[in-house]
């Protein structure tokens, strides 16, 4: 390292990557720290979880992205704490001093105090969770095909998604597409179209951040796909046997949690005020109170916006904050004044299923197949500069035209599938 100012960025999500990319080539040394070696395009995780895309198509090695920028150093490690007084970040392997610090740590799944549900109702925040969900979904159909027990078969073909936000809506629609279309001709002893997909939302409508007309369209579209939408019914218990939704117990082997997120550790590390979701209350320039060289961005930051709302935890917001903070650091280093951060809302987008999506761009509403293509192109736009966006577009077009799933592989713990071998009777039939 040189004697130049050192900027340490914790987290290689959209906010951290945006900050690092803008500081690349500038007169500072940038250290980008993440516990993973890849940047993940998180909005498409649900497509990995439902076998539309493989992990390699939505994640890219961080080092390769910055391989041509000599002032950017990548450190794979996990931050365990902060020493704000001495301007140092703490890690189990290596502590680092900083002149400027950017905390872009992101959020994790929140179970609202029911952390024991995590083992039976995985969230969808990283590749490991997505591939585990994919394996669980595909194994459910395989085990149902092999089962001689009608009750067990029904339990295996029940799928419950908790949470009516974009993640829940996208997952429910994608599971419906998987079961009722992509897998419909692949089995002999079961009909995947018999799968029961339930989307449970405790509120009175889906997609609460969208206009009510688009929420209604989303519900009707999901129901057209065969999804059972349960509104105004809270989930009170989740076990290995199933889910309690309102007064009904749904036996199921597959529950996917999409109901909330929280920011871990930062409140304790910074000893600064945070909201109930753990997001740190920041100054107008996104700096930490009493520390003008420490910034918090993305999902980790509580940033006031308009009408009593806060800046949403979405990719465009994190990227805007990252670019702003990078410019703020350069200005601060060179003694220039910078105005407060101003968020420009790009709109809300959610996909429901094949050729169905909803879009709200500052009052301009769009739904249906045109919104679906707009949604796809918007995501391609965010891939530009990271890795071959045309590759993902080809995958989507292939899936759209031919209804094929390109990543239907069950990997890891293969013995669990073997323990559910078909009976001798089924084996004898398969020989003919």
């Amino acid at each position: 390292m040189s004697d130049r100012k050192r900027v340490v960025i914790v987290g290689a999500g959209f906010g951290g990557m945006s900050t690092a990319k803008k500081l690349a080539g500038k007169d500072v040394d940038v250290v980008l720290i993440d516990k993973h070696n890849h940047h993940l395009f998180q909005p498409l995780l649900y497509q990995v979880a439902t076998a539309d895309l493989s992990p390699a198509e939505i994640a890219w090695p961080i080092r390769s992205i910055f391989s041509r920028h000599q002032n950017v150093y990548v450190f794979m490690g996990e931050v365990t704490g902060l020493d704000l007084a001495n301007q140092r970040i703490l890690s189990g392997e290596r502590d680092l001093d900083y002149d400027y610090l950017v905390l872009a740590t992101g959020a994790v799944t929140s179970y609202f105090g029911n952390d024991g549900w995590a083992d039976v109702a995985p969230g969808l925040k990283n590749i490991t969770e997505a591939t585990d969900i994919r394996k669980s979904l595909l194994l459910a159909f395989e085990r149902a095909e092999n089962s001689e027990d009608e009750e067990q078969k029904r339990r295996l073909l029940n799928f419950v998604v908790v949470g009516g936000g974009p993640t829940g809506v996208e997952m429910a629609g994608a599971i419906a597409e998987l079961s009722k279309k992509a897998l419909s001709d692949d089995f002999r002893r079961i009909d995947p179209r018999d799968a029961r997909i339930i989307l449970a939302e405790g509120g009175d409508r889906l997609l609460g951040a969208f206009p009510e007309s688009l929420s209604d369209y989303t519900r009707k579209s999901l129901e057209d796909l065969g999804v059972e939408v349960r509104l105004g019914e809270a989930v009170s218990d989740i076990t290995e046997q199933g889910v309690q939704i309102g007064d009904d117990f749904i036996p199921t082997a597959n529950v996917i949690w999409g109901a909330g997120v929280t920011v871990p550790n930062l409140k304790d590390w910074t000893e600064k005020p945070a909201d109930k979701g753990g997001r740190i209350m920041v100054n107008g320039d996104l700096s930490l109170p009493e520390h003008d060289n420490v910034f918090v961005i993305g999902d980790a930051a509580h940033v006031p916006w308009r009408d009593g709302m806060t800046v949403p935890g979405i990719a465009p917001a994190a990227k805007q904050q990252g670019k702003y903070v990078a410019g703020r650091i350069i200005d601060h280093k060179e003694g220039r004044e910078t105005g407060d951060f101003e968020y420009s809302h790009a709109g809300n987008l959610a996909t429901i299923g094949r050729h169905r999506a909803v879009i709200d761009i500052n009052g301009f509403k769009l739904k249906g197949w045109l919104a679906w293509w707009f949604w796809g192109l918007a995501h391609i736009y965010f891939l530009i500069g990271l890795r071959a966006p045309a590759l993902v577009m080809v995958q989507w077009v292939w899936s759209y035209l031919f209804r094929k799933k390109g990543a239907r592989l069950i990997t890891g713990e293969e013995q669990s599938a073997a323990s559910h071998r078909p009976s001798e009777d089924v084996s004898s039939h398969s020989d003919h």
Side-chain angles (χ1 to χ4, degrees), residues 288-357:
L288 193 68
E290 302 176 6
H291 296 274
D292 63 359
N293 64 333
V294 179
F295 302 89
V296 186
I297 63 175
D299 290 343
H302 177 108
V303 184
W305 181 28
R306 68 186 185 196
D307 302 326
M309 297 187 294
T310 58
V311 173
I314 56 178
K319 293 184 71 170
Q320 287 179 41
Q321 291 171 358
K323 291 177 182 178
Y324 168 85
V325 164
R328 177 77 180 92
I329 288 171
I330 296 300
D331 288 344
H332 187 274
K333 185 176 76 73
E334 297 178 358
R336 294 192 296 266
E337 291 295 325
T338 304
D340 287 347
F341 172 72
E342 295 183 7
Y343 172 56
S344 176
H345 188 50
N348 294 316
L349 301 84
T351 182
I352 305 164
R354 187 175 181 266
H355 64 252
R356 302 184 196 215

Side-chain angles (χ1 to χ4, degrees), residues 24-307:
K26 299 295 192 295
D27 187 28
V28 293
D29 287 320
V30 178
V31 182
L32 180 57
I33 304 175
D34 197 282
K35 62 182 178 181
H36 302 294
N37 76 332
H38 56 268
H39 167 71
L40 173 65
F41 194 78
Q42 205 172 72
L44 295 184
L45 266 178
Y46 83 94
Q47 293 202 9
V48 173
T50 53
D52 262 324
L53 297 174
S54 71
E57 289 162 338
I58 67 164
W60 306 271
I62 302 168
R63 293 185 186 279
S64 68
I65 294 172
F66 294 103
S67 60
R68 297 183 181 180
H69 301 289
Q70 298 301 310
N71 72 316
V72 179
Y73 303 80
V74 178
F75 173 30
M76 182 179 171
E78 187 165 3
V79 174
T80 58
L82 302 177
D83 182 354
L84 294 173
N86 295 304
Q87 297 192 178
R88 174 173 293 184
I89 68 146
L90 310 177
S91 170
E93 299 178 7
R94 178 183 178 190
D95 296 343
L96 284 173
D97 295 329
Y98 63 83
D99 296 295
Y100 297 94
L101 175 63
V102 181
L103 298 169
T105 55
V108 299
T109 301
S110 171
Y111 292 88
F112 307 112
N114 300 291
D115 293 343
W117 295 352
D119 293 336
V120 288
L124 191 59
K125 300 297 288 183
N126 56 56
I127 286 177
T128 299
E129 290 176 338
T131 53
D132 284 349
I133 290 171
R134 180 185 69 187
K135 179 174 68 176
S136 182
L137 293 177
L138 296 177
L139 274 175
F141 290 101
E142 296 293 343
R143 290 171 176 170
E145 173 85 348
N146 295 345
S147 178
E148 301 293 342
D149 185 330
E150 289 300 320
E151 184 176 333
Q152 175 69 357
K153 189 180 297 186
R154 172 46 50 200
R155 175 175 173 270
L156 287 166
L157 293 178
N158 285 342
F159 302 91
V160 177
V161 181
V162 183
T167 298
V169 166
E170 289 166 354
M171 274 302 304
I175 295 172
E177 295 274 347
L178 177 69
S179 63
K180 301 182 184 301
K181 295 176 182 176
L183 298 180
S184 59
D185 298 325
D186 289 4
F187 294 84
R188 299 295 176 263
R189 304 179 75 241
I190 63 169
D191 186 346
R193 291 172 293 189
D194 291 336
R196 182 185 181 192
I197 300 103
I198 299 170
L199 176 59
E201 164 57 39
D204 59 0
R205 64 187 181 96
L206 302 176
L207 300 178
F210 287 69
E212 191 167 349
S213 61
L214 294 183
S215 295
D216 291 341
Y217 172 81
T218 299
R219 177 181 56 78
K220 292 174 183 175
S221 295
L222 286 172
E223 290 172 346
D224 288 344
L225 288 172
V227 177
E228 183 180 329
V229 179
R230 306 281 291 266
L231 298 176
E233 297 182 87
V235 171
S236 57
D237 195 21
I238 305 176
T239 68
E240 291 184 357
Q241 286 68 46
V243 183
Q244 187 72 40
I245 305 175
D247 296 329
D248 295 335
F249 182 79
I250 310 297
T252 178
N254 278 280
V255 183
I256 299 160
W257 186 268
V261 296
T262 187
V263 179
N265 303 321
L266 281 191
K267 182 178 180 180
D268 294 331
W269 289 355
T270 63
E271 297 182 343
K272 299 298 181 184
D275 62 19
K276 64 180 181 180
R279 297 183 301 170
I280 301 299
M281 310 279 193
V282 295
N283 296 323
D285 63 353
L286 305 183
S287 66
L288 193 68
E290 302 176 6
H291 296 274
D292 63 359
N293 64 333
V294 179
F295 302 89
V296 186
I297 63 175
D299 290 343
H302 177 108
V303 184
W305 181 28
R306 68 186 185 196
D307 302 326

